[in-house]
């Protein structure tokens, strides 16, 4: 009985060379496929539609790559602005630092203007992943400069006001008389989304923590307590969002809490042991304590 079943199974399956089972499409001649490709009419409506789809996808992909490159440039220039602003506490003339940072931020806005021009007639959210890192870094740099100037947090409305661009239409016309429409300026704008704004503000807290340590090293005892209150207000605002907001925002909350703990630890050391430790050694003490906090959090 078992031998009969084995014969039945073997006769129902075709065995090819090498002992492998042949599939049905292996019997399909390759030459026949080539003939079918040659018989395809390139001007048929179906082929025309697919060519238009190909052109649209290639155009969208090229635009996406251009936006990624612009976002990288915005990120790099924004980081350079932040590094420059950290010299504000140690520079003899802080106004020069602020003026130089404003020039750098203007260069960043010109890059953002190119992004706005690329997105004319497009849905921004289709390309949001490409430009989001650059916008977050710009928010961080602009809010850091705004805090140094005013000791307050810049609003998303104020940031969006800075991202409205106008330019005169300089196209030459052959007619001696120009229409009034040709003299009207073109306007481009790019709005920072609430999520990008919150992520940029969350990154700002790390820069404020570094500003706290550097200010103590320069003998400024009042700035850490001011930064502690400011960071506490930001942390309280983020806790209201909690887990109801986007995943990226809740992930940044842990980093924000770390920065707040380091600043509060610096304030505690100043209040309790400020008179015992020389001012030129305070920054080293805070740096070592910050490393211990990072190690303990890494082990927990």
């Amino acid at each position: 009985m078992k031998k009969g079943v084995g014969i039945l199974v073997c006769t129902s399956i075709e065995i090819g060379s090498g002992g492998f089972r042949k599939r049905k499409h292996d019997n399909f001649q390759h030459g026949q496929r080539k003939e079918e490709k040659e018989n395809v009419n390139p001007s048929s409506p179906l082929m025309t539609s697919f060519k238009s789809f190909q052109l649209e996808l290639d155009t969208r992909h090229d635009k996406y790559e251009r936006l990624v490159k612009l976002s990288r440039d915005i990120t790099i220039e924004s980081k350079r602005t932040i590094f420059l602003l950290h010299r504000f506490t140690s520079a003899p003339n802080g106004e020069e630092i602020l003026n130089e940072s404003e020039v750098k931020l203007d260069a960043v806005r010109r890059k953002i203007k190119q992004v706005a021009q690329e997105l004319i007639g497009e849905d921004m959210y289709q390309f949001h992943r490409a430009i989001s890192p650059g916008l977050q870094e710009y928010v961080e740099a602009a809010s850091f400069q705004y805090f140094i100037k005013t000791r307050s947090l810049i609003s998303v409305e104020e940031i969006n006001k800075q991202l409205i661009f106008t330019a005169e239409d300089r196209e030459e016309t052959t007619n001696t008389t120009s229409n009034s429409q040709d003299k009207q300026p073109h306007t481009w704008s790019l709005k920072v989304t609430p999520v990008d704004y919150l992520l940029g503000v969350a990154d700002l807290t790390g820069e404020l923590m570094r500003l706290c340590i550097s200010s103590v090293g320069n003998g400024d005892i009042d700035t850490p307590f001011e930064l502690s209150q400011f960071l506490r207000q930001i942390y309280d605002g983020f806790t209201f969002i909690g887990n109801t907001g986007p995943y990226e925002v809740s992930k940044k909350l842990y980093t924000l809490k770390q920065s707040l703990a380091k600043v509060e630890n610096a304030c505690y050391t100043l209040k309790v042991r400020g008179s015992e430790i020389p001012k030129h050694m305070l920054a080293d003490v805070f740096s070592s304590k910050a490393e211990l906090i990072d190690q303990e959090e890494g082990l927990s």
Side-chain angles (χ1 to χ4, degrees):
M1 187 67 181
K2 291 183 180 180
K3 184 183 290 186
V5 173
I7 294 173
L8 181 61
V9 172
C10 290
T11 54
S12 62
I13 301 175
E14 297 182 6
I15 305 299
S17 60
F20 294 101
R21 185 178 64 179
K22 285 187 177 181
R23 302 179 184 275
K24 290 184 180 180
H25 62 76
D26 290 337
N27 295 324
F28 193 79
Q29 299 297 326
H30 295 284
Q32 188 175 354
R33 293 180 183 177
K34 188 175 181 181
E35 290 177 0
E36 288 185 358
K37 289 182 180 179
E38 292 176 352
N39 293 332
V40 173
N41 184 11
S43 61
S44 64
L46 183 63
M47 293 300 295
T48 304
S49 299
F50 273 95
K51 285 181 179 178
S52 65
F53 298 154
Q54 179 186 4
L55 180 62
E56 182 179 353
L57 289 174
D58 289 342
T59 304
R60 188 174 296 275
H61 178 73
D62 293 341
K63 179 172 290 191
Y64 190 92
E65 292 299 321
R66 290 195 300 270
L67 290 173
V68 169
K69 184 179 182 301
L70 286 172
S71 179
R72 287 199 201 103
D73 295 340
I74 293 169
T75 302
I76 292 171
E77 293 300 326
S78 298
K79 285 183 180 295
R80 288 174 179 170
T81 305
I82 293 171
F83 295 154
L84 174 67
L85 288 170
H86 275 295
R87 292 165 45 196
F88 178 80
T89 55
S90 60
N93 190 357
E95 288 297 326
E96 292 182 2
I97 299 294
L98 292 177
N99 293 334
E100 189 177 350
S101 67
E102 188 62 34
V103 173
K104 286 184 174 294
L105 284 179
D106 286 338
V108 175
R109 293 186 192 104
R110 286 195 292 271
K111 292 286 185 182
I112 297 177
K113 178 181 177 181
Q114 297 180 26
V115 174
Q117 291 172 341
E118 288 282 354
L119 294 176
I120 293 176
E122 300 283 354
D123 184 5
M124 189 194 76
Y125 289 96
Q126 291 184 353
F127 301 94
H128 182 255
R129 188 180 292 271
I131 63 176
S132 180
L135 292 179
Q136 293 175 29
E137 202 68 31
Y138 169 74
V139 170
E140 182 181 357
S143 58
F144 191 32
Q145 185 203 51
Y146 190 85
F147 176 81
I148 291 176
K149 287 181 177 180
T150 64
R151 298 294 173 175
S152 59
L153 181 64
I154 191 172
S155 64
V156 65
E157 291 81 11
E158 185 67 27
I159 287 179
N160 287 329
K161 283 181 183 178
Q162 298 174 358
L163 301 183
I164 298 176
F165 312 101
T166 58
E168 294 289 334
D169 186 7
R170 298 180 179 177
E171 294 182 357
E172 297 181 357
T173 56
T174 56
N175 299 329
T176 56
T177 59
S178 60
N179 297 327
S180 60
Q181 295 180 353
D182 296 334
K183 296 182 180 179
Q184 293 179 354
H186 292 291
T187 303
W188 298 278
S189 64
L190 184 66
K191 288 188 177 181
V192 174
T193 62
V195 175
D196 289 335
Y197 172 74
L198 290 175
L199 294 176
V201 171
D203 292 333
L204 169 68
T205 58
E207 305 303 330
L208 294 179
M209 181 269 296
R210 295 180 185 91
L211 180 66
C212 170
I213 303 301
S214 62
S215 62
V216 172
N218 294 321
D220 186 1
I221 308 300
D222 298 328
T223 299
F225 294 95
E226 185 179 358
L227 289 174
S228 176
Q229 295 295 328
F230 184 72
L231 288 176
R232 172 59 64 181
Q233 292 175 2
I234 293 179
Y235 179 75
D236 291 341
F238 271 84
T239 52
F240 283 124
I241 300 174
N243 295 327
T244 60
Y247 170 72
E248 294 86 356
V249 175
S250 59
K251 198 165 97 173
K252 293 278 186 180
L253 188 62
Y254 177 72
T255 307
L256 198 161
K257 188 176 180 181
Q258 281 183 317
S259 301
L260 176 61
K262 292 175 184 177
V263 173
E264 288 181 340
N265 182 70
C267 293
Y268 171 79
T269 304
L270 285 174
K271 199 72 174 176
V272 176
R273 300 184 59 195
S275 59
E276 302 174 1
I277 305 173
K279 289 185 178 180
H280 66 278
M281 295 180 60
L282 286 173
D284 297 334
V285 173
F286 294 153
S287 299
S288 61
K289 288 195 173 185
E291 292 176 359
L292 290 174
I293 292 174
D294 291 338
Q295 293 176 1
E296 290 176 357
E297 291 176 348
L299 293 174
S300 60

